[in-house]
Amino acid sequence: MVENKPAEGAEKQDSKKAAKKEAKKAEKAAKKAEHKGTNLQSQASNVEEADVSVGKYGQLPLIRSDTKAIQRTFTYVKDLNKTIAGNVVWVRARLHAVRARGKQCFIVLREKEFTVQVLTNVSETISKQMVKFASNIPKESIVDIEAKVATVGSPIASCTQQDVELISTQIWIVSASANQLPLQIEDASRPEKADDEDGLNIRVNQDTRLDNRVLDLRTPTNQAIFRLEAGVCHLFREILTKKGFVEIHTPKIIPAASEGGANVFTVSYFKGSAYLAQSPQLYKQMAIAADFEKVFTVGAVFRAEDSNTHRHLTEFVGLDLEMAFRYHYHEVMMTIGDLFTEIFKGLRDQYKREIEIVGQQFSVEPFSFLEPPLVLQYPDARKMLAEAGVEVGEEEDLSTPAEKLLGRLVKAKYDTDYYILDKYPLAIRPFYTMPDPNDPIASNSYDMFMRGEEILSGAQRIHDADLLTERAKHHGIDISKIAAYIDAFKYGCAPHAGGGIGMERVVMLYLGLDNIRKTSMFPRDPKRVAP
Amino acid sequence: MNGPIKMYQTKPIVRHDVPVQLPTCMYKIKNIYGPRNGEVDPADHVSTANKKLDISEQVKKFLKNNQKIPGMADLQARQEKILQQLADLKKQMLNIKAELKISNVTTNKTTLKISTQKIEDLPNIVIHAGPNYPPYSLALVQKLLQDQINLSITTHQHSSVPLLPKNAKELSDILTNFKPKASNLPTIYVRLIWNNVEADMELLVSIVPILGEVNALRYLSRCFTNVLSYEYDSDVSEIDSLLDVSHALISTKSTPEKTKLIQHFIKSLGKSSYLIGKTKITVADIAAVSALKQVAPSSINGSLSQWVKRCEAA
């Protein structure tokens, strides 16, 4: 029983059902283990006369960081190649697949996205029992294997380490997995090609994946997606810090709804109630009013929108920035545009491998962009849409299908998946958006698009308390409710602009994935709060 | 390939401008192609021009014959008076304008508006060019048009082109930093995108691209009729064939072929200032200079180098 605890612990389940299932599985596995007598002590006690491999296989005692335990040096699977052929190495990895054939047993070990083939052969030093033990290790168990690196005649197509295989001499289970897996890693990582009729068509349903996210995340694609996501955050921070921005942290529990009241989560706050922040907008602007000049923040953003689409989450990571400028908000818009170009270039150059891995499962066109970024004006966009037969009113917002169509039109003409749309009509923007000085219909606001979907919405904000009050009144907003916001500009504030980016959306669209749940590690939507 | 085929002009086979005698034995019906109110647009008909001419001659005759009509002097006096009144009215208007401090720009603006109106029909032009084949012709066109149109070019680098070669970069700088002599000109925006296209650059106005630099120049020459147009030139077929030579020069990979094609230019240039013995630069010159600079810069020597310099200074 004891030996099975780590496996159980690793797959902590919140829901009761899953917990029960897990307990049952653990019990079963334990019984099996006992029955087979595979653990070290029992192995030692019932020595069979023909077993020449005693002490070379079995279940390792639970690792509890005992300093007296033997210390071994391990080699990473990705480092196994021809140059170390002939060496004896220790490898700790997951057992990806196992297949017994007579006196032989083939094991595929997996570490992150790297796989290698292990061969166990009955021989003078390897007993039948050991091969049998090896072939019965449950998939996804973590094992320690001592083996000799050997070159192979023809490359092994099914593994990433194609030119070598391991000839095992010792096999130990470090942490056993349950025998029954809710999903197979092979199924979860099978390439999705629309035109491939002959290939196996077994897929894992999105909900099954999310219910067993721990297993699902082990696929090479998911490993790559979340490393790339980390890259986006890292590049965002690095590039902005270089440009002289300061990272700030804004509260997530806020006293009043920041953008309208409808889509906000209410939480009880001692004797009263408070809200979860829909955007760090107000706090970013306050930081500008407090003379930080250029600020950015990375943090959770909450939206209580009951929309079950491929691109909405109720909690996501917002990459927000705000910047004071001298004369024209285009100074800020182009800073953000350059930021994106830099991020895209960083991803293209530093995350080539990850993009390739994701491309193997979900074949999509590589992301294209222009440097400097393409800036279109709202009237231009309307004209392009009109030419394609979609009329959009002068003061009308683009509908989602219109946005998609525009994305395709821009891609066809300019060959870019990323562009900025400037000068949105004032009527469809929030009250704090600065109106255009020359055109009464337009405003100093912009949206940015990737593959035809909006990823950033931003504008020059009104930094004058009187004008802000006037605009709020025009929009029919109760002045007393936003008094704190207006007060922030009472003591003078630099002209500023900014915007907020949805991190998950950027990753989803950069990779050309079809669902935002693929780029959120533990997604939250109206129908899912677990795991 | 035996070099481009030369074209020649032929006389039209069918003439459309002969007067048509309509039969009178049938009754007439309204022209359904004309405007709705029943009036017939004279443009729809073929033989109205002659009649007009007749009338004016008749009027002249009439005036000649009736020099001594009694009311004539009266009529003249009346006309003089009206003209005087009009002059007065103009003076008054000008005074009012001076009082309101409106300068005379308005008249200027109206003419400008007409020209912009024409150009507004032109949507944004996008050009995808391969970084190894920089379209030098754009710089020449930009210069030639500078008195009439401000061809404002911005450049972008596509993500499939990680590094821009030196030549492309230089051309980018020239194109983006160009300022026409006259300000206040109508502006056409062109976006030049360095993209992963090969020798054939793409010019997009709508979704369908115009392939090849030469064809792009043909398109531009139709847009700016008074500067680049060659379709009414007497040597139109000659110019067209030289444009084809330029295109072949950019597309070909073999060096002997290139030298053979360059010979066409040398022959056409002869001892004159520009190709085909012209004294003014034509589209053929622009295309040829650009092609030579792109694929055979080493061959520009002797009379060719003088000519290239002349073109670039034009």
Side-chain angles (χ1 to χ4, degrees):
Chain A
M1 271 310 264
V2 182
E3 282 83 354
N4 285 301
K5 266 201 172 155
E8 197 184 315
E11 292 180 20
K12 244 182 194 168
Q13 300 278 352
D14 281 338
S15 79
K16 265 188 183 173
K17 244 187 182 173
K20 252 187 196 169
K21 231 181 181 177
E22 208 52 43
K24 250 186 196 169
K25 267 187 223 161
E27 220 179 298
K28 250 188 193 170
K31 265 184 192 164
K32 232 176 203 171
E34 239 170 79
H35 176 71
K36 283 190 180 155
T38 46
N39 83 34
L40 183 61
Q41 285 88 357
S42 60
Q43 195 63 46
S45 53
N46 341 316
V47 189
E48 285 175 43
E49 37 191 321
D51 195 349
V52 288
S53 313
V54 180
K56 297 247 169 106
Y57 64 97
Q59 178 111 27
L60 274 190
L62 187 69
I63 296 175
R64 292 166 68 188
S65 309
D66 191 348
T67 44
K68 279 175 269 174
I70 12 159
Q71 307 279 319
R72 288 171 183 139
T73 323
F74 290 93
T75 308
Y76 283 115
V77 170
K78 65 173 179 200
D79 296 330
L80 296 172
N81 54 41
K82 267 185 189 161
T83 54
I84 54 164
N87 293 11
V88 172
V89 293
W90 275 95
V91 174
R92 176 173 292 176
R94 242 173 232 291
L95 187 132
H96 182 63
V98 60
R99 180 163 51 91
R101 191 191 279 166
K103 289 180 175 178
Q104 281 184 322
C105 174
F106 293 95
I107 293 174
V108 176
L109 289 184
R110 190 188 76 237
E111 191 173 51
K112 287 178 185 161
E113 71 266 28
F114 303 99
T115 49
V116 67
Q117 177 171 284
V118 181
L119 185 62
T120 312
N121 255 334
V122 174
S123 67
E124 284 164 28
T125 48
I126 310 274
S127 66
K128 253 187 196 170
Q129 286 89 334
M130 179 167 163
V131 174
K132 198 174 173 210
F133 165 79
S135 60
N136 281 323
I137 303 172
K139 273 187 192 176
E140 294 302 301
S141 301
I142 295 179
V143 292
D144 277 0
I145 285 184
E146 186 199 47
K148 206 170 115 180
V149 183
T151 50
V152 287
S154 53
I156 303 160
S158 57
C159 293
T160 58
Q161 310 312 110
Q162 303 200 333
D163 44 7
V164 288
E165 63 175 1
L166 299 176
I167 312 292
S168 68
T169 44
Q170 290 194 45
I171 299 177
W172 297 94
I173 297 178
V174 178
S175 171
S177 160
N179 267 316
Q180 290 271 317
L181 295 174
L183 59 89
Q184 299 299 318
I185 306 296
E186 284 105 321
D187 297 342
S189 45
R190 183 162 290 125
E192 285 181 16
K193 282 183 185 109
D195 49 346
D196 190 9
E197 291 284 326
D198 324 320
L200 259 177
N201 219 20
I202 303 166
R203 305 241 184 286
V204 183
N205 186 325
Q206 180 89 53
D207 274 327
T208 317
R209 283 174 186 270
L210 294 180
D211 287 338
N212 304 284
R213 196 63 163 153
V214 173
L215 277 179
D216 180 40
L217 287 173
R218 289 179 189 172
T219 63
T221 307
N222 277 329
Q223 294 279 319
I225 287 175
F226 291 100
R227 281 209 300 269
L228 191 113
E229 193 161 280
V232 170
C233 268
H234 170 72
L235 287 165
F236 179 78
R237 284 200 166 97
E238 190 186 65
I239 294 159
L240 287 181
T241 309
K242 247 189 230 160
K243 286 181 191 275
F245 279 75
V246 180
E247 176 161 14
I248 58 166
H249 298 282
T250 61
K252 300 295 170 245
I253 300 175
I254 55 169
S258 44
E259 280 181 46
N263 50 3
V264 60
F265 285 110
T266 315
V267 289
S268 69
Y269 196 72
F270 303 109
K271 276 172 190 158
S273 62
Y275 305 96
L276 291 181
Q278 297 156 294
S279 132
Q281 167 102 25
L282 172 55
Y283 298 93
K284 283 189 304 185
Q285 288 192 261
M286 285 201 215
I288 296 294
D291 287 349
F292 279 89
E293 195 192 354
K294 300 167 174 180
V295 295
F296 73 90
T297 176
V298 177
V301 176
F302 304 89
R303 298 273 161 92
E305 285 169 354
D306 194 6
S307 46
N308 295 286
T309 69
H310 75 284
R311 59 174 192 159
H312 284 94
L313 290 174
T314 51
E315 179 185 341
F316 60 92
V317 177
L319 310 172
D320 280 84
L321 65 150
E322 200 75 25
M323 177 181 149
F325 62 84
R326 301 288 179 210
Y327 293 108
H328 203 289
Y329 75 101
H330 278 181
E331 295 164 35
V332 181
M333 194 180 83
M334 289 325 285
T335 304
I336 302 175
D338 288 345
L339 163 73
F340 271 107
T341 308
E342 290 292 317
I343 289 179
F344 296 150
K345 274 164 87 179
L347 292 178
R348 178 189 69 188
D349 300 337
Q350 296 165 35
Y351 291 86
K352 216 178 228 166
R353 210 188 132 65
E354 278 76 12
I355 295 166
E356 200 181 297
I357 290 172
V358 178
Q360 278 164 9
Q361 184 165 7
F362 308 106
S363 47
V364 278
E365 264 184 68
F367 189 81
S368 63
F369 55 91
L370 297 179
E371 182 192 4
L374 176 68
V375 182
L376 294 175
Q377 308 266 309
Y378 198 76
D380 293 341
R382 279 185 52 228
K383 209 167 139 197
M384 282 178 83
L385 283 171
E387 277 169 24
V390 176
E391 292 288 345
V392 177
E394 206 171 3
E395 294 190 63
E396 204 181 309
D397 204 355
L398 297 178
S399 63
T400 312
E403 279 179 4
K404 283 239 163 192
L405 176 65
L406 184 63
R408 282 209 302 280
L409 293 174
V410 170
K411 170 90 178 165
K413 189 162 177 183
Y414 300 94
D415 197 12
T416 175
D417 285 317
Y418 168 69
Y419 65 94
I420 302 170
L421 196 52
D422 191 17
K423 288 271 169 259
Y424 265 69
L426 183 61
I428 56 165
R429 302 301 266 198
F431 74 94
Y432 49 73
T433 310
M434 183 67 87
D436 185 273
N438 302 317
D439 184 353
I441 294 174
S443 66
N444 291 346
S445 62
Y446 43 85
D447 272 11
M448 302 193 184
F449 292 86
M450 282 169 72
R451 297 197 203 252
E453 288 190 37
E454 180 228 309
I455 44 150
L456 174 142
S457 191
Q460 177 186 354
R461 332 282 188 191
I462 297 173
H463 58 279
D464 177 76
D466 295 338
L467 181 58
L468 194 58
T469 317
E470 188 197 312
R471 291 297 307 163
K473 271 183 192 156
H474 178 81
H475 276 254
I477 293 166
D478 186 355
I479 302 294
S480 62
K481 276 192 176 165
I482 54 162
Y485 183 67
I486 293 172
D487 279 351
F489 306 108
K490 252 171 55 185
Y491 312 107
C493 178
H496 60 280
I501 306 159
M503 180 191 70
E504 285 89 346
R505 268 195 204 179
V506 171
V507 177
M508 166 177 85
L509 295 167
Y510 183 82
L511 292 170
L513 301 176
D514 58 351
N515 198 316
I516 198 160
R517 287 160 190 82
K518 286 194 171 112
T519 57
S520 174
M521 195 169 258
F522 298 102
R524 295 283 174 268
D525 64 31
K527 293 195 173 126
R528 178 180 292 279
V529 280
Chain B
M1 194 177 156
N2 303 319
I5 302 159
K6 283 194 182 156
M7 310 274 269
Y8 52 88
Q9 274 180 329
T10 55
K11 268 188 187 172
I13 299 162
V14 180
R15 286 194 59 189
H16 292 285
D17 52 350
V18 288
V20 180
Q21 200 69 50
L22 292 173
T24 50
C25 53
M26 310 266 280
Y27 58 88
K28 276 189 183 172
I29 53 164
K30 272 182 194 170
N31 183 359
I32 52 163
Y33 301 109
R36 282 291 158 89
N37 54 16
E39 275 178 45
V40 176
D41 187 356
D44 288 350
H45 289 269
V46 218
S47 51
T48 40
N50 291 338
K51 261 181 200 165
K52 255 186 201 165
L53 229 154
D54 286 342
I55 289 167
S56 68
E57 251 158 37
Q58 270 174 12
V59 168
K60 270 184 200 164
K61 238 183 223 170
F62 176 79
L63 286 172
K64 245 183 203 171
N65 294 344
N66 296 295
Q67 275 285 354
K68 283 164 195 168
I69 284 179
M72 203 61 193
D74 253 15
L75 206 67
Q76 232 164 7
R78 222 173 119 197
Q79 192 191 9
E80 292 292 325
K81 209 175 162 191
I82 290 170
L83 283 174
Q84 183 61 39
Q85 275 175 341
L86 276 172
D88 280 354
L89 204 64
K90 194 185 175 190
K91 218 175 183 181
Q92 274 178 23
M93 283 302 289
L94 283 174
N95 283 341
I96 291 169
K97 256 187 202 165
E99 266 169 45
L100 293 172
K101 284 173 189 163
I102 300 172
S103 60
N104 248 357
V105 182
T106 37
T107 47
N108 225 339
K109 247 185 192 164
T110 44
T111 54
L112 220 160
K113 232 181 195 168
I114 293 162
S115 54
T116 37
Q117 202 93 52
K118 261 186 206 161
I119 286 146
E120 259 170 24
D121 298 338
L122 251 177
N124 287 329
I125 295 176
V126 179
I127 292 172
H128 294 271
N132 296 323
Y133 299 90
Y136 293 105
S137 54
L138 279 180
L140 296 176
V141 170
Q142 200 178 34
K143 231 176 180 181
L144 280 175
L145 291 176
Q146 64 176 338
D147 295 330
Q148 296 172 20
I149 288 152
N150 175 18
L151 205 62
S152 164
I153 301 179
T154 49
T155 59
H156 298 269
Q157 190 179 339
H158 192 258
S159 53
S160 58
V161 179
L163 204 75
L164 212 55
K166 202 176 126 237
N167 285 347
K169 212 172 200 167
E170 278 170 11
L171 181 66
S172 292
D173 290 343
I174 292 170
L175 290 175
T176 47
N177 295 331
F178 183 81
K179 288 258 153 42
K181 280 182 210 148
S183 56
N184 226 345
L185 286 175
T187 306
I188 293 183
Y189 295 96
V190 177
R191 284 195 171 87
L192 174 62
I193 297 170
W194 297 111
N195 203 339
N196 195 14
V197 293
E198 277 306 301
D200 274 346
M201 75 172 207
E202 295 176 14
L203 184 144
L204 283 126
V205 177
S206 60
I207 304 298
V208 183
I210 295 171
L211 287 175
E213 186 181 1
V214 167
N215 292 329
L217 277 173
R218 284 187 174 118
Y219 170 77
L220 290 175
S221 78
R222 282 175 180 82
C223 293
F224 315 116
T225 41
N226 32 8
V227 184
L228 295 169
S229 166
Y230 65 95
E231 279 173 310
Y232 301 110
D233 198 296
S234 49
D235 297 313
V236 56
S237 45
E238 200 74 28
I239 292 177
D240 250 337
S241 70
L242 278 176
L243 285 176
D244 286 343
V245 173
S246 304
H247 181 253
L249 184 60
I250 295 177
S251 324
T252 186
K253 291 247 154 52
S254 86
T255 322
E257 184 77 36
K258 273 183 197 165
T259 7
K260 224 166 111 194
L261 288 166
I262 291 167
Q263 284 305 313
H264 281 280
F265 294 140
I266 296 172
K267 225 157 97 197
S268 175
L269 188 60
K271 281 189 178 146
S272 52
S273 313
Y274 296 103
L275 295 176
I276 333 168
K278 297 260 171 195
T279 51
K280 256 185 83 186
I281 191 164
T282 63
V283 180
D285 293 287
I286 296 172
V289 168
S290 179
L292 280 173
K293 283 176 81 173
Q294 277 174 49
V295 296
S298 54
S299 67
I300 303 174
N301 46 35
S303 60
L304 280 181
S305 77
Q306 295 242 319
W307 159 69
V308 168
K309 262 185 209 146
R310 212 173 296 135
C311 288
E312 279 173 346

